[in-house]
Amino acid sequence: MIDFKYQCSECGRKYKITPDRMLCPECSKRQEQDKPLRGILEVAFDGHFHHQPKMSDLLPVEKKYFPKIPVGGTSLWIPANIADDLSFPNLYIKDDTHNLTGSLKDRASYLVAAFAKREGIREIVVASTGNAASSMAGVGAAAGLNITIFLPESAPRAKMIQSLQYGARVIMVAGSYDRAFDLSLEYSRKYHVLSRNTAFNPLTIEGKKTVALEIYHQLGKAPDYMFVPTGDGVILGGVYKGFRDLMKLGIIDRIPTIIAVQAEGSNAITQAFETGVFTPIDAQTVADSISVGIPRNGYYVLKQLKKYDGKCVTVFDDEILTAQKELSAKAGLFTEPAASASYAGFLKMKDELPKDATIVLLATGNGLKDIDSAQKSVEFPAKAISALEDLE
Ligand SMILES: *Cc1c(COP(=O)(O)O)cnc(C)c1O
């Protein structure tokens, strides 16, 4: 029998997995204002498997509670034109733009929805700037759950429309994402509703680990390098968690070199990697999904980047937009700017990498989610024609 518990990533204390347990009650007492979260919990398993565990055996919610929708199981493929041009024959894309709602966030929403089903919970609330909201709205709709979303007024329109299409109740908040986050927590406590706030609900890290488990199964081994676009650090934390689970089971014997890719104007984790200190920044980048002033999983991922010899790389907005255009035009993969950042980070670091290395670029979100940014690197047809002669 395998037993799942929450375990504090700082003090190691264990707790039962319950809907209202979000942080370690002891370590979160040391929370400081404008700093990453203290007392991040992760899911830990105890006991022995009598057979090679399947992916669903490694999740803390039984398979029968998951909605019957295509989440995860995304393809891993070599972008041949790029791999040939740059002479990196083992360069892969893990294409999570092909999830149900078009982003990797579905992996977290999927697990949270299954947990809600198991616990008999009817409503989930989430504060988000975009993809976490549209993801929870879509996955929640398929699971028959009521979804309430707190969005800052500045949220990108396409992502808001997507949430409304799925039938979520959208509450607009005057102020920043942080204000929306606080109000959503107040709401979850007042009305006893499950919170899916990213980085805060431990199941968000746990759900995202499945991307690492899949990559291992698809390659038949762990990659040498993996590029992960990073804002709050939940995806990064999830990727580490997946590979750490595999190591704990004796399936792999080392953790890949993981590279956190951040936008130059939203690089709090990179700064802390270099200085050891988290300083809140006024985040500014074209890549809205990785635009974060105070990365909520900051301490949690910094520890792992250090322990497993990870790296950080920052990319400018114009490098992100160039990478976006190139991925579209050479690989046929249209990604939103945050997702293009993986490729931009790889382009920046490629001279330091061995040519024969197995490298995975994580593509986290679909390009149609942010048309305004995508417009910046294309030219519109000059005028309408009425006959082919007009082309000359
Ligand atoms: C949320 C998101 C990210 C960043 O994930 P974090 O967990 O905040 O680091 C990157 N790309 C896309 C498309 C996202 O939606």
Side-chain angles (χ1 to χ4, degrees):
M1 255 305 273
I2 301 295
D3 181 36
F4 292 95
K5 288 248 164 39
Y6 281 149
Q7 181 165 32
C8 178
S9 61
E10 297 191 53
C11 71
R13 282 187 190 82
K14 290 189 178 175
Y15 303 93
K16 201 168 172 266
I17 299 181
T18 54
D20 52 354
R21 170 69 60 220
M22 296 285 156
L23 297 170
C24 171
E26 292 305 317
C27 293
S28 60
K29 286 179 191 155
R30 290 188 289 119
Q31 183 67 48
E32 294 169 281
Q33 185 150 25
D34 294 341
K35 294 283 181 183
L37 290 171
R38 286 294 186 186
I40 295 290
L41 298 176
E42 54 181 26
V43 175
F45 60 86
D46 281 323
H48 286 283
F49 291 96
H50 297 296
H51 53 90
Q52 172 95 329
K54 293 195 295 289
M55 192 138 56
S56 56
D57 298 331
L58 294 178
L59 291 171
V61 179
E62 300 75 1
K63 208 174 167 182
K64 64 180 177 193
Y65 295 108
F66 284 83
K68 307 280 179 285
I69 48 174
V71 169
T74 58
S75 46
L76 179 76
W77 50 282
I78 296 178
N81 298 332
I82 293 173
D84 288 351
D85 284 357
L86 303 178
S87 305
F88 278 93
N90 304 310
L91 177 70
Y92 291 84
I93 288 170
K94 176 63 170 167
D95 182 10
D96 257 47
T97 71
H98 271 86
N99 276 303
L100 187 71
T101 77
S103 85
L104 186 144
K105 296 274 191 298
D106 286 356
R107 295 178 183 274
S109 303
Y110 192 47
L111 179 59
V112 173
F115 180 66
K117 283 300 213 192
R118 187 181 77 186
E119 302 295 318
I121 292 165
R122 301 288 319 277
E123 184 179 346
I124 295 175
V125 59
V126 59
S128 164
T129 58
N131 282 339
S134 54
S135 169
M136 194 67 250
V139 171
L145 294 161
N146 296 322
I147 307 300
T148 300
I149 287 162
F150 283 73
L151 277 186
E153 269 173 316
S154 63
R157 248 179 103 69
K159 293 176 183 179
M160 185 192 303
I161 292 168
Q162 201 186 355
S163 299
L164 290 166
Q165 267 286 337
Y166 293 130
R169 178 158 70 117
V170 175
I171 297 164
M172 269 218 295
V173 176
S176 66
Y177 170 64
D178 293 304
R179 182 77 188 130
F181 191 97
D182 291 344
L183 284 179
S184 79
L185 283 194
E186 217 177 300
Y187 177 91
S188 76
R189 289 191 187 114
K190 186 164 176 190
Y191 299 105
H192 305 287
V193 167
L194 180 63
S195 167
R196 183 234 180 267
N197 281 5
T198 193
F200 179 66
N201 185 325
L203 297 178
T204 57
I205 298 172
E206 186 68 5
K208 289 174 181 179
K209 82 176 182 184
T210 57
V211 75
L213 301 179
E214 282 175 19
I215 290 169
Y216 167 77
H217 284 291
Q218 289 169 309
L219 288 173
K221 61 175 185 176
D224 299 313
Y225 297 91
M226 182 159 166
F227 287 80
V228 181
T230 301
D232 271 317
V234 189
I235 298 179
L236 186 65
V239 165
Y240 270 123
K241 178 62 165 48
F243 289 122
R244 281 163 49 221
D245 278 3
L246 292 172
M247 195 145 91
K248 179 171 161 177
L249 290 164
I251 295 174
I252 60 173
D253 56 14
R254 64 170 195 93
I255 302 287
T257 302
I258 303 204
I259 299 109
V261 185
Q262 296 208 282
E264 187 67 29
S266 175
N267 64 351
I269 290 175
T270 308
Q271 280 187 27
F273 188 75
E274 283 155 13
T275 65
V277 187
F278 280 96
T279 317
I281 51 180
D282 177 20
Q284 307 252 327
T285 167
V286 66
D288 68 285
S289 297
I290 50 171
S291 182
V292 173
I294 305 159
R296 288 187 161 71
N297 272 357
Y299 295 126
Y300 175 69
V301 290
L302 187 59
K303 203 159 96 180
Q304 301 186 67
L305 283 166
K306 294 284 181 193
K307 180 165 178 186
Y308 299 110
D309 283 329
K311 298 180 194 302
C312 292
V313 62
T314 58
V315 287
F316 290 101
D317 278 3
D318 60 343
E319 294 173 309
I320 291 176
L321 292 174
T322 303
Q324 178 186 40
K325 184 71 176 58
E326 220 174 278
L327 267 185
S328 301
K330 288 187 169 177
L333 182 71
F334 182 26
T335 52
E336 67 166 272
S340 324
S342 317
Y343 180 49
F346 164 75
L347 289 177
K348 208 154 200 178
M349 273 191 62
K350 67 180 185 338
D351 295 342
E352 299 169 37
L353 307 175
K355 291 282 189 191
D356 60 349
T358 300
I359 301 166
V360 175
L361 310 177
L362 187 56
T364 47
N366 188 295
L368 290 170
K369 284 171 167 284
D370 186 0
I371 286 301
D372 288 346
S373 301
Q375 275 183 31
K376 296 188 172 127
S377 41
V378 297
E379 250 179 68
F380 281 96
K383 59 177 185 177
I385 64 162
S386 28
L388 277 187
E389 288 77 63
D390 296 347
L391 286 176
E392 288 137 31

